[in-house]
Amino acid sequence: AIKLWEDPAFIDSIKEKSIILEHTLKSIINKFPFITLKGKGMIWGLSFEDAKLDQLAKLIAKNCFQRKLLVETCGRKNGVIKLMPALT
C-alpha cells in the first residue's frame, strides 16, 4: 500500500477523482440548498443538521446501504452523511 503513494500516477488519479467528486457534490448542493457541504479531497460530509433534517440523513444512509453503497452518518444526532470513497 505504501508503494502506491510513491507512484505519481496514483497521486494524480486521486487529485482527478477528488475534483470530480467535489464538482458532483456541489451540483447536488445547488439543487438542495438545505444541505451543507463540508470536506476536502476525497473526504466529504453532506450535512442536514442546519436544516434540522437529521432523520433525512439517516434515511438516505439506509437507502445507500440497500444499494450496496457504504456511507456513514456522524455529527450531532447523526445528521451528516460522511463520504470516503476508495482511493483505487
Side-chain angles (χ1 to χ4, degrees):
I2 291 177
K3 289 188 179 193
L4 281 174
W5 291 103
E6 296 171 354
D7 181 0
F10 175 69
I11 295 169
D12 289 342
S13 74
I14 291 173
K15 289 177 184 176
E16 291 172 18
K17 291 173 189 174
S18 67
I19 291 169
I20 293 168
L21 180 60
E22 181 178 2
H23 288 192
T24 302
L25 292 173
K26 284 183 177 180
S27 72
I28 292 170
I29 299 304
N30 288 335
K31 295 176 186 171
F32 302 97
F34 54 86
I35 303 171
T36 305
L37 183 62
K38 303 174 182 182
K40 183 177 181 180
M42 294 292 284
I43 302 175
W44 290 90
L46 300 172
S47 176
F48 296 80
E49 294 177 326
D50 294 339
K52 296 185 170 71
L53 295 171
D54 305 329
Q55 295 300 317
L56 181 57
K58 293 175 191 174
L59 179 63
I60 291 170
K62 180 180 177 182
N63 283 317
C64 287
F65 183 77
Q66 290 171 345
R67 290 173 173 78
K68 303 192 184 325
L69 176 63
L70 293 177
V71 299
E72 210 175 87
T73 56
C74 60
R76 297 179 311 227
K77 299 181 184 176
N78 289 318
V80 178
I81 296 174
K82 185 177 9 173
L83 305 169
M84 296 185 305
L87 300 179
T88 57

